[in-house]
Amino acid sequence: MADIAHDASGPSPKPGDVAPQQASRPDSPEGDELRVFVSYSRDDLRFAGQLVAALNACGFECFIDREGISGGEKWKQRIGNLISEADTVVFMLSPASARSEICAWEVEEAARLGKRILPVNCRPLEGASPPPRLRDLNYVFLYEDPKVKDSGFGTGLKTLVASLNTDFDWLREHTRYLQRATEWDSGGRPANRLLSRNDIVEAKDWAARRPKSAPEPTSLHLDFIRASEEEAEARSSAQRKQLEAMAAAQAECQKALHEAEEAQRKRATNEGNAEAMFNLGLLYANGQGVTQDYVRAREWYEKAAEKGFPSAMGNLGVLYHNGQGVAQDYGKAREWYEKAAEKGFPRAMGNLGVLYHNDQGVAQDYAKTRERYEKAAANGNATAMLNLGQLYEEGWGVAQDYGKAREWYEKAADKGEPRAKAQLEQLPIRAADAGRYAEALQLQEALAVKVEEAETKREGNPAKETAQALQGVAWRALFAREFTKALTASDRAHALLPDDLGIETNRAHALMFVERGKESKALYLAHKGKPVSEEDAKLWERAIAEDFAEFRKAGLTHPMMADIPFGER
C-alpha cells in the first residue's frame, strides 16, 4: 500500500540596449511576425530608426542594435545572437556602411548562418564599394534616384515589404531549426537534443521544398537532421527489443500474480486467514493479477479488519480518504486511521497527520500534524519522515530550519523513501532562492542536466521529469536576470510538455523580460480562468499575480506587470 502524503516535492518551480520592437502582421496570428535584423552604420542611425518604425508599422518584428561597440569580442556575440534569431537581415547601404569593417562582419555572419540578406540603399554610395557578398544582389532604393525606376522611400518600402513577405513560412522554419541545431552543436551534440521522429519528417520536408529565392540550409542544419534520423533508427531498434523483453517479463509476472491470488483466495476462504484477506484486498486495489477493483478491495479489507488486522484498517482509511470504491469521507478515513494507529500501525499515524495538515475533516493544526508525523516516524514510517522534513523546510508550524529538514530527508532516504532523494537535491537550491539567485540558478541547471541524463537513459528520451527540471531553471533564471536563458529553458520545457500551464507562466514571464511584449501579453491573456494544473486548482490569473508579487519582492519589475488586468491582485 502506498502511503498518503501531501506533495513532499515542494511548490512547483516557476520558472546592451538591444531593443526588439514588435508589430503584428495584419494577416498573421499574434506573435507570428517575421523577425528582421537591421544592419547599419552609426552614421545612419536616424534613417535606421525611421526604417525600423516603418517596418514595425507594416507588421514585422525588427531588431536593431543600439549599443556602442565596446572592447573585446562581446559585441560580436551580442550582434551574432541577434542575427541568429532573425529570419532576414536588411543591410542599409551607405558610404559609411560600405566602408565599415563591422558592417562587413555582419554580412559575413549572416551568410555563415544562411540568412537571407536584403540590401537597401539609403543614400548614394559616392564611389564606395559594398561588401562582396552584396554586389550581385538586387538593391532596394529608399532615396530618389532619377536613374532607378520606383526609387524613393515610399515605393522602395513597398518593394522591401513584398520581398520580406516572400517565402515567409520557410524562413521562419529556417531560423527555428538553426536555433535548435546550434543548441545541439554548442552542447556537444548530445542525442537528447535531437529531433523526434515526427519532427524529423517535417524537417526533411522543409529542406526538400526550399524556394529558389531562399538561402540554402546550412551544413549545421543538414548535420542536425541527419544525426536525428540516425539516432531515431538506432533508438527504434533498441526500444523494440526492450519492449519484447518487457512483454515477456510482464506475462510471467501476471502468471505469478494470478497464482498468488488463487492461493490467497483459498487461504482466506478455507481458513478465514486475516492476512490472506488483506492480501486479496491489496491485489484488487493495485490491479495485480486481477482487474483493479476498489469495491472488491474494500470488501476484503473489511473482512480482514473485522478480524483485527491493522493494515486492513489503515487501507480502509486510505479508500475513504481518496474516495476509491466508496464516497470520499474524511470523517470515516479518520476513524479507520485512528483504529489502525491504536494498534500501532505507523502509516495510519502519518496519514492522520496528513488530515490535520490539509484541513481534511478536521481544522488545520500544524502542532497535531507534527505530533502524528513524529509518532509515525518513531515507528519507522519513511513518508512521515519525509513530511517532517517538509514542515521544517517550509516553516509550517515550526521555525524554518533547513538543517533539520535535511536530517529528516536523510532519514527518509535511508528508509528507502524514493522522493527523499529529490528533496535533498532541491534543498540547497531552495535555500539559495532567498536572495542568492545566481547560485540557485547554477545549482538548478546542474540538477536539470542530471535529471535529463537519467530520464533519457531510462526512457530513451527526455520527457516530463526533464521538463519540470527545466521549469525550475527558467524560474530561477528570471530572478538571476538571465532572461534569454529563462526563455530558452521554458521553450524546451514547453516542447516536452506543451499543455503544462505551469511551464507557460514562465514562458510568458521570459517573453516579457526579453521585450517580446506582444507574444507575452497574448500568452498572459490566453489562459485566463483555467486552473494551473490538475493537482493545483489555483487559477491562471492568481498564479500570475503571485509570480508578479515575488518579482517585486526581489526588485524585478517591468511596465507590463501593471498592464496585465490581473497583475495587481
Side-chain angles (χ1 to χ4, degrees):
M1 181 196 77
D3 290 331
I4 297 173
H6 56 271
D7 181 9
S9 62
S12 297
K14 288 296 195 205
D17 182 21
V18 177
Q21 305 176 43
Q22 306 173 57
S24 299
R25 288 167 53 87
D27 58 344
S28 299
E30 188 78 42
D32 194 31
E33 301 91 347
L34 191 80
R35 296 178 184 177
V36 180
F37 174 71
V38 177
S39 175
Y40 69 104
S41 166
R42 302 292 157 181
D43 292 353
D44 305 314
L45 177 59
R46 291 185 64 184
F47 193 99
Q50 292 298 310
L51 178 59
V52 166
L55 291 175
N56 284 340
C58 292
F60 301 101
E61 181 181 355
C62 292
F63 292 86
I64 180 169
D65 178 41
R66 300 184 189 276
E67 283 200 12
I69 301 302
S70 57
E73 294 296 309
K74 287 187 176 180
W75 67 269
K76 285 189 175 181
Q77 180 181 352
R78 185 179 72 243
I79 296 176
N81 287 340
L82 290 177
I83 294 172
S84 176
E85 292 173 3
D87 303 309
T88 295
V89 173
V90 170
F91 187 90
M92 275 182 43
L93 265 174
S94 71
S97 67
R99 297 186 181 101
S100 168
E101 292 183 6
I102 294 169
C103 290
W105 177 86
E106 291 176 359
V107 170
E108 291 301 315
E109 183 66 5
R112 185 184 71 82
L113 295 172
K115 299 296 180 178
R116 178 177 64 176
I117 306 173
L118 299 178
V120 299
N121 282 71
C122 61
R123 53 194 173 98
L125 292 181
E126 300 172 356
S129 295
R133 289 189 184 273
L134 304 185
R135 290 173 189 166
D136 296 331
L137 301 179
N138 293 324
Y139 299 170
V140 175
F141 286 79
L142 296 178
Y143 69 93
E144 289 190 16
D145 186 328
K147 299 177 183 179
V148 180
K149 184 182 178 182
D150 293 332
S151 61
F153 192 84
T155 52
L157 179 64
K158 181 179 178 181
T159 302
L160 178 59
V161 168
S163 298
L164 286 170
N165 281 327
T166 302
D167 306 326
F168 175 93
D169 292 331
W170 195 91
L171 289 167
R172 287 304 306 270
E173 291 299 284
H174 183 288
T175 302
R176 186 172 72 87
Y177 285 127
L178 182 61
Q179 288 175 332
R180 290 196 62 177
T182 300
E183 181 185 333
W184 166 71
D185 186 56
S186 62
R189 301 196 167 195
N192 56 27
R193 297 291 177 89
L194 292 167
L195 297 168
S196 64
R197 187 165 291 280
N198 288 340
D199 290 337
I200 293 167
V201 173
E202 292 177 2
K204 290 176 69 176
D205 176 66
W206 165 81
R209 57 182 170 81
R210 180 185 73 86
K212 290 182 180 180
S213 60
E216 294 275 359
T218 66
S219 58
L220 183 57
H221 275 113
L222 300 178
D223 284 351
F224 182 56
I225 295 170
R226 189 182 306 111
S228 297
E229 192 168 27
E230 290 172 355
E231 175 63 22
E233 289 174 359
R235 185 181 298 164
S236 178
S237 176
Q239 287 179 339
R240 185 166 54 252
K241 292 177 181 177
Q242 185 180 21
L243 287 172
E244 290 171 357
M246 287 174 61
Q250 188 174 34
E252 286 296 316
C253 181
Q254 285 298 109
K255 180 181 177 183
L257 285 169
H258 181 70
E259 291 173 354
E261 187 262 344
E262 285 298 316
Q264 295 293 346
R265 187 182 301 278
K266 287 178 181 178
R267 287 185 66 202
T269 305
N270 299 335
E271 303 172 18
N273 185 282
E275 183 179 6
M277 296 172 180
F278 167 75
N279 287 336
L280 275 170
L282 204 59
L283 291 173
Y284 278 108
N286 294 331
Q288 295 174 316
V290 291
T291 302
Q292 189 176 55
D293 188 333
Y294 289 118
V295 173
R296 297 294 301 276
R298 175 178 57 81
E299 291 172 356
W300 284 111
Y301 286 156
E302 286 174 344
K303 290 178 181 180
E306 287 173 3
K307 291 182 173 292
F309 202 74
S311 297
M313 298 173 184
N315 282 16
L316 279 168
V318 172
L319 294 182
Y320 280 104
H321 197 147
N322 293 336
Q324 295 168 322
V326 290
Q328 189 174 56
D329 189 327
Y330 294 131
K332 285 190 177 293
R334 180 184 173 192
E335 288 177 16
W336 282 113
Y337 288 154
E338 287 176 343
K339 289 179 180 179
E342 286 172 4
K343 289 184 172 290
F345 189 51
R347 290 175 179 171
M349 299 173 191
N351 288 343
L352 278 169
V354 173
L355 293 177
Y356 281 106
H357 186 116
N358 293 335
D359 188 19
Q360 293 173 326
V362 289
Q364 188 177 62
D365 188 328
Y366 285 125
K368 289 183 178 179
T369 296
R370 189 178 81 252
E371 178 186 340
R372 266 59 175 189
Y373 288 164
E374 287 174 345
K375 284 183 179 180
N379 282 276
N381 184 256
T383 300
M385 297 172 187
L386 184 82
N387 288 347
L388 278 167
Q390 192 178 24
L391 290 185
Y392 282 103
E393 180 181 346
E394 301 292 346
W396 288 329
V398 293
Q400 191 175 52
D401 189 328
Y402 290 116
K404 285 191 175 180
R406 175 171 292 279
E407 288 177 18
W408 281 114
Y409 289 148
E410 287 174 345
K411 289 178 181 178
D414 289 342
K415 284 284 185 180
E417 166 55 62
R419 293 166 292 180
K421 181 183 176 184
Q423 291 302 106
L424 284 167
E425 290 175 330
Q426 281 286 337
L427 193 61
I429 302 173
R430 296 288 303 281
D433 279 337
R436 305 197 308 275
Y437 303 125
E439 180 185 346
L441 173 59
Q442 186 178 18
L443 291 168
Q444 181 66 38
E445 285 183 297
L447 177 59
V449 170
K450 287 174 60 179
V451 169
E452 184 168 356
E453 288 175 350
E455 187 172 34
T456 301
K457 184 177 180 180
R458 185 178 68 250
E459 304 293 340
N461 53 269
K464 182 177 181 179
E465 293 176 13
T466 302
Q468 291 170 339
L470 288 168
Q471 183 183 4
V473 171
W475 177 247
R476 290 172 174 93
L478 292 169
F479 287 89
R481 272 66 169 176
E482 298 223 21
F483 304 130
T484 300
K485 184 174 284 186
L487 182 58
T488 299
S490 57
D491 277 345
R492 278 206 69 215
H494 170 76
L496 295 170
L497 279 183
D499 299 323
D500 189 303
L501 293 193
I503 290 171
E504 292 298 85
T505 62
N506 286 341
R507 285 186 72 228
H509 301 329
L511 287 165
M512 172 176 69
F513 285 117
V514 299
E515 304 300 341
R516 285 165 61 178
K518 290 191 175 180
E519 292 173 81
S520 175
K521 190 168 185 178
L523 186 52
Y524 277 135
L525 299 178
H527 302 296
K528 187 175 180 181
K530 297 178 183 177
V532 174
S533 68
E534 292 181 3
E535 297 78 17
D536 186 352
K538 183 189 302 179
L539 293 183
W540 168 270
E541 51 266 39
R542 181 183 166 194
I544 298 299
E546 289 178 357
D547 286 356
F548 284 177
E550 290 297 314
F551 294 154
R552 293 188 182 98
K553 274 195 247 178
L556 190 59
T557 61
H558 190 281
M560 186 178 288
M561 290 163 60
D563 293 340
I564 301 300
F566 42 85
E568 293 292 338
R569 289 186 183 179

